């Protein structure tokens, strides 16, 4: 995921030129820390969801907004954030993003109600959006050798896996001795360390003198935000409800206006002509699907292990380390693999293997021992590593070098939209399937009618975890939740397989020759 900071001048938007005088090694450390923060927030939040829901008595549909609020803002703002970095200085915007992450985490850490939790997540999401594209742009300016840059960006991708792996472990360890509020202190501490490291060794880029594409920035943000909001809200109210329909209409209108504005401006935020390339368009789909599965499946598995298998957050964190740890290790090797095979082989293989792992996990139940589960967790982690990092490189290979900055911002936006879809759609599918399946499960375990009504009402409001439950009720809840998890895993497997066909047939295997 390189930037156009090192590309030769060409028609298109003016790009900030970097006079880099910082330390490359310290720069790499700072940017990897920034990547870790943005993904640590995701899995730490997911790991604390059960405790937050029980403590604040959050209903099953509202709880989806806790992780989705973060990714909604990241997806909506990430493309604009790259433009702001070019215009006002990348280190400045990166540091502002870290400060926003710290502020958002502080709000969540002190939150007395679920409303304040979601507000804090929105603020942290703004920070994640500012960090992601500008950290990549800074690395592109610091490492100009193409091969070295590929290795550095692979390390940046692997750092995201380390953040994902650390989240459940940190959350689990803190939840054993403290309240869920303490989980978000880890982001504050890591953010402060990142600010210090960035101040020591990261050079500022020269702000671009080009005119800021304000109409494009605003319209693009509204188009993505409205669409993502409709996806999340639709899971609760129905995708044809008045509010959701209005959001769809607003997104469509903003998207049409965005395309018209970008076609006419001399310095577009995103040159929409890039999507004339079938390879580039297919890569955007692959990038979205990669995070759709990675984020969505992670949420499903964490909830399954904590609620269906009754594991503690720390025990869940150790088990999820198999998935995230393998991802981080495999991501390091993905960069070198691309140079030997091109893009089609790792992308297609990763999607197919990810589908097989999803199908395998979907066949397992609450009593399945971990020694039968961990190979599938490892396989899914390795499969995602073969897709996430190569998809970034494939996006840049699908366009001319002068358009690398736009391609980088677009693939970042696609990934975050996929992440929102994974957490919201698969999370909503889990909830609706569980609630619809629960009456039958309770009846099968011979739970009496008054108790069935009470349990179903409690499950709908998220109030089933606050007190010991009779064995038949606990078994019925575990089976109903498992059916929801299995439904999400089957859907993810099908999506991965369909996307594998796109990758195999449409994506250019070698870099674009311009």
């Amino acid at each position: 995921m390189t930037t156009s900071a090192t590309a030769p001048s060409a028609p298109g938007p003016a790009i900030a030129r970097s006079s880099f005088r910082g330390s490359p090694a310290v720069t790499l450390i700072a940017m990897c820390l920034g990547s870790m923060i943005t993904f640590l927030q995701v899995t730490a939040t997911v790991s604390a969801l059960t405790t937050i829901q029980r403590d604040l008595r959050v209903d099953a549909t509202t709880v989806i907004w806790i992780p989705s609020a973060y990714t909604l803002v990241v997806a909506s703002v990430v493309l604009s954030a790259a433009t702001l970095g070019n215009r006002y200085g990348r280190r400045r915007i990166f540091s502002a993003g870290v400060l926003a992450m710290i502020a958002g985490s502080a709000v969540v850490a002190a939150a007395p109600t679920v409303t304040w939790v979601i507000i804090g997540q929105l603020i942290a999401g703004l920070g994640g959006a500012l960090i992601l594209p500008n950290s990549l742009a800074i690395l592109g300016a610091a490492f100009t050798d193409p091969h070295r840059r590929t290795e550095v960006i692979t390390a940046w991708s692997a750092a995201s896996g380390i953040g994902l792996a650390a989240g459940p472990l940190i959350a689990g360890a803190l939840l054993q001795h403290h309240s869920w509020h303490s989980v978000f202190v880890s982001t504050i501490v890591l953010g402060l360390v990142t600010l210090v490291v960035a101040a020591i060794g990261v050079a500022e880029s020269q702000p671009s003198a080009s005119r800021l594409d304000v109409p494009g920035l605003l319209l693009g943000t509204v188009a993505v935000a409205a669409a993502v909001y409709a996806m999340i809200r639709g899971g609760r109210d129905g995708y044809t409800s008045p509010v959701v329909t209005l959001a769809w209409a607003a997104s469509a209108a903003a998207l049409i206006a965005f395309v018209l504005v970008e076609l006419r401006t001399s310095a577009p935020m995103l040159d929409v002509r890039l999507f004339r390339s079938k390879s580039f368009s297919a890569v955007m789909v692959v990038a979205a699907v990669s995070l759709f599965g990675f984020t969505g499946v992670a949420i499903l598995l964490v909830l399954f292990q904590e609620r269906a298998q009754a594991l503690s957050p720390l025990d869940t964190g150790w088990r999820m380390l198999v998935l995230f740890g393998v991802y981080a290790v495999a991501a390091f090797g993905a960069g070198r693999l691309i140079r030997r095979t091109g893009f089609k082989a790792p992308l297609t293989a990763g999607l197919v293997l990810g589908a097989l792992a999803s199908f395998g996990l979907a066949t397992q139940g609450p009593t399945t021992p971990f020694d039968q589960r961990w190979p599938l967790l490892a396989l899914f982690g390795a499969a995602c590593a073969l897709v996430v990092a190569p998809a970034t490189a494939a996006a840049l290979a699908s366009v001319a070098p002068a358009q690398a900055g736009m391609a980088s911002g677009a693939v970042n936006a696609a990934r975050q939209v996929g992440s929102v879809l994974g957490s919201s759609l698969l999370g909503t599918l889990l909830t609706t399937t569980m609630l619809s399946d629960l009456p039958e499960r309770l009846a099968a375990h011979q739970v009496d009618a008054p108790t069935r009504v009470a349990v179903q009402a409690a499950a709908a409001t998220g109030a089933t975890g606050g007190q010991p439950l009779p064995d038949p009720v606990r078994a019925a809840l575990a089976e109903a939740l498992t059916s929801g998890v299995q439904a999400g895993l089957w859907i993810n497997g099908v999506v991965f397989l369909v996307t594998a066909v796109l990758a195999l047939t449409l994506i250019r295997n070698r870099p674009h020759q311009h």
Side-chain angles (χ1 to χ4, degrees):
M1 204 180 294
T2 57
T3 73
S4 55
T6 58
S9 59
I15 303 298
R17 297 179 180 178
S18 172
S19 55
F20 182 75
R21 296 187 180 89
S23 165
V26 176
T27 298
L28 177 59
I29 293 172
M31 298 308 106
C32 286
L33 287 173
S35 174
M36 286 176 60
I37 295 173
T38 61
F39 287 91
L40 173 68
Q41 185 78 4
V42 174
T43 51
T45 301
V46 172
S47 298
L49 269 184
T50 299
T51 308
I52 295 173
Q53 184 178 16
R54 182 174 61 245
D55 184 42
L56 299 180
R57 301 183 69 85
V58 186
D59 65 83
T61 51
T62 301
V63 75
I64 296 300
W65 276 101
I66 294 176
S68 296
Y70 174 79
T71 46
L72 183 152
V73 179
V74 175
S76 303
V77 183
V78 69
L79 187 59
S80 303
T83 303
L84 293 175
N86 283 343
R87 180 65 180 83
Y88 298 109
R90 292 166 182 152
R91 190 184 70 175
R92 184 177 294 111
I93 300 300
F94 172 85
S95 298
V98 177
L99 287 171
M101 287 289 297
I102 294 172
S105 297
V107 171
V108 178
T113 65
V114 68
T115 300
W116 281 104
V117 172
I118 293 174
I119 290 173
Q121 289 286 81
L122 292 171
I123 297 171
L126 175 62
L130 296 176
I131 289 170
L132 284 169
N134 288 292
S135 61
L136 288 169
I138 289 169
L139 290 177
F143 299 91
T144 56
D145 176 74
H147 296 306
R148 178 61 175 153
R149 185 190 299 153
T150 299
E151 294 174 356
V152 164
I153 293 170
T154 301
W156 181 92
S157 297
S160 68
I162 296 173
L164 289 168
L169 291 176
I170 293 173
L174 290 172
L175 288 171
Q176 276 197 327
H177 306 288
H178 307 283
S179 72
W180 59 265
H181 300 82
S182 65
V183 171
F184 298 91
V185 176
S186 58
T187 303
I188 297 173
V189 174
L190 187 58
L192 292 173
V193 172
T194 304
L195 284 177
V196 172
V197 176
I200 292 173
V202 179
E204 181 60 279
S205 61
Q206 289 183 348
S208 170
S210 64
R211 178 177 55 85
L212 189 64
D213 180 18
V214 175
L217 188 150
L218 294 177
L219 289 170
T221 301
V222 170
V224 176
V228 172
Y229 176 83
M231 294 171 195
I232 300 173
R233 183 70 180 265
R236 184 182 72 179
D237 299 342
Y239 291 99
T240 58
S241 66
V243 172
V244 175
T245 301
L246 182 62
W248 286 124
S251 176
L255 180 61
I256 293 171
F258 174 78
V259 171
L260 294 176
V261 167
E262 297 303 276
L263 286 173
R264 295 179 180 180
T265 185
S266 59
M269 181 179 74
L270 174 65
D271 188 352
V272 295
R273 297 175 184 85
L274 292 176
F275 290 92
R276 292 176 179 173
S277 166
K278 294 180 180 179
S279 178
F280 182 80
S281 298
V283 169
M284 294 302 104
V285 175
V286 170
V289 167
S290 67
L291 266 292
F292 171 90
F294 199 36
T295 304
V297 169
I299 290 176
L300 293 180
L301 294 177
V302 167
L303 295 177
F304 170 77
Q305 291 174 106
E306 290 188 358
R307 300 185 183 184
Q309 295 192 315
L311 296 175
S312 70
L314 184 58
D315 288 337
T316 298
W318 283 115
R319 284 160 174 76
M320 292 300 291
L321 184 61
V322 174
L323 190 160
F324 297 131
V326 170
Y327 167 84
V329 172
F332 275 110
R336 293 186 177 182
L337 181 64
I338 294 171
R339 292 169 61 180
R340 295 184 177 182
T341 66
F343 302 110
K344 284 182 182 289
L347 290 174
T348 304
L351 290 165
V352 171
L353 292 175
L356 294 177
S358 295
F359 293 147
L361 289 167
T363 64
Q364 300 181 348
T367 59
T368 303
F370 184 64
D371 59 2
Q372 295 181 26
R373 295 179 61 80
W374 76 260
L376 291 172
L377 293 175
L379 178 62
F380 190 76
C384 288
L386 289 175
V387 180
V388 175
T392 302
L396 303 183
S398 299
V399 302
Q403 298 168 313
M406 288 183 182
S408 176
V411 75
N412 251 322
R415 285 153 60 117
Q416 297 309 314
V417 169
S419 181
V420 173
L421 288 172
S423 61
S424 59
L425 296 188
L426 294 185
T428 300
L429 179 63
L430 162 64
T431 300
T432 55
T433 303
M434 181 191 76
L435 293 177
S436 65
D437 196 52
L438 184 57
E440 181 181 345
R441 301 288 182 177
L442 290 168
H445 284 276
Q446 299 180 342
V447 177
D448 60 83
T451 303
R452 288 204 301 267
V453 173
V455 170
Q456 291 171 45
T461 59
T464 57
Q467 55 187 356
L469 298 171
D471 288 343
V473 173
R474 188 169 60 249
L477 284 168
E479 292 171 5
L481 186 136
T482 299
S483 66
V485 171
Q486 291 172 339
L489 289 168
W490 280 109
I491 291 296
N492 182 73
V494 171
V495 170
F496 267 42
L497 283 181
V498 172
T499 309
V501 176
L502 287 178
L504 183 63
T505 57
L506 297 181
I507 292 179
R508 184 179 289 114
N509 197 45
R510 295 292 178 182
H512 176 79
Q513 300 298 322
H514 183 68

